[in-house]
Amino acid sequence: MNKLNDDCIFCKIIKNEIPSIVVYEDDDVKAFLDISQVTPGHTLVIPKTHVQNVFEYSDELGATIFSRIPKIAKAIKSSDKNIKGMNICQNNGKLAYQSVMHSHIHLVPRYTAEDGFSMTWADNTDKYTSEKLQSIADNIKNNLED
Ligand code: 5GP
Ligand code: ZN
């Protein structure tokens, strides 16, 4: 059962109350061009139910949403021979750059190193012993839910 939120811009896109340029749609998922087009073909994939972020996903919702990604990613790639790669990212929470609080996955096709998309990754390899890594992993494992 899909639940939508009257105050949510992406719920309004699902209901076609706000127009969008759709690239894929089925009963559970809608994919449409991001208005900002970081690179040409930049697409958002959203669940057709109002969940804020990945922390609200059931396993079943996760399986449904993520299962659509390869099909849509391959279609974007095939649409332009200049697409050489793709960044797929999901921002969860304001601190993680989420600005629209209806969960969505960004598919950003990549053309060149200077095409408008970038990511910064710190490399802290030297700061972690294997014991420290094991303790972090154990803590995560202890928090896995059935
Ligand atoms: P976030 O920063 O939450 O990960 O990404 C939200 C994305 O939604 C942004 O890239 C922004 O351009 C896009 N966006 C916001 N409002 C609209 C809209 O009304 N239509 C479309 N197509 N994209 C939107
Ligand atoms: Zn919503």
Side-chain angles (χ1 to χ4, degrees):
M1 183 69 173
N2 293 354
K3 101 185 137 52
L4 299 176
N5 179 335
D6 287 344
D7 301 322
C8 169
I9 191 163
F10 284 179
C11 283
K12 288 179 181 169
I13 283 176
I14 290 165
K15 289 183 280 182
N16 295 316
E17 290 175 8
I18 291 178
S20 64
I21 310 293
V22 177
V23 301
Y24 173 81
E25 184 164 16
D26 62 33
D27 288 346
D28 302 309
V29 170
K30 190 162 188 166
F32 53 96
L33 295 183
D34 190 297
I35 202 165
S36 69
Q37 291 294 284
V38 169
T39 65
H42 175 191
T43 296
L44 298 175
V45 181
I46 63 172
K48 281 189 170 176
T49 191
H50 183 83
V51 285
Q52 283 209 17
N53 54 48
V54 75
F55 308 117
E56 293 185 359
Y57 281 33
S58 63
D59 289 355
E60 188 187 24
L61 183 66
T64 300
I65 302 313
F66 289 113
S67 72
R68 306 311 196 268
I69 299 297
K71 180 201 291 281
I72 301 166
K74 284 185 257 188
I76 295 169
K77 175 133 185 355
S78 297
S79 73
D80 189 331
K81 65 176 175 19
N82 294 313
I83 295 174
K84 308 295 185 205
M86 182 174 291
N87 288 97
I88 297 179
C89 40
Q90 187 188 46
N91 301 330
N92 295 282
K94 276 201 176 99
L95 181 71
Y97 309 128
Q98 186 176 6
S99 61
V100 176
M101 295 300 156
H102 180 128
S103 179
H104 50 277
I105 299 163
H106 292 263
L107 276 57
V108 185
R110 299 302 308 279
Y111 298 80
T112 68
E114 290 84 32
D115 58 11
F117 183 91
S118 67
M119 274 177 151
T120 307
W121 300 75
D123 182 354
N124 295 312
T125 310
D126 294 346
K127 297 186 187 137
Y128 286 82
T129 60
S130 54
E131 291 76 18
K132 176 72 180 159
L133 291 173
Q134 191 60 58
S135 132
I136 292 170
D138 289 344
N139 192 18
I140 296 170
K141 282 195 270 186
N142 288 336
N143 282 283
L144 288 173
E145 292 173 6
D146 288 335

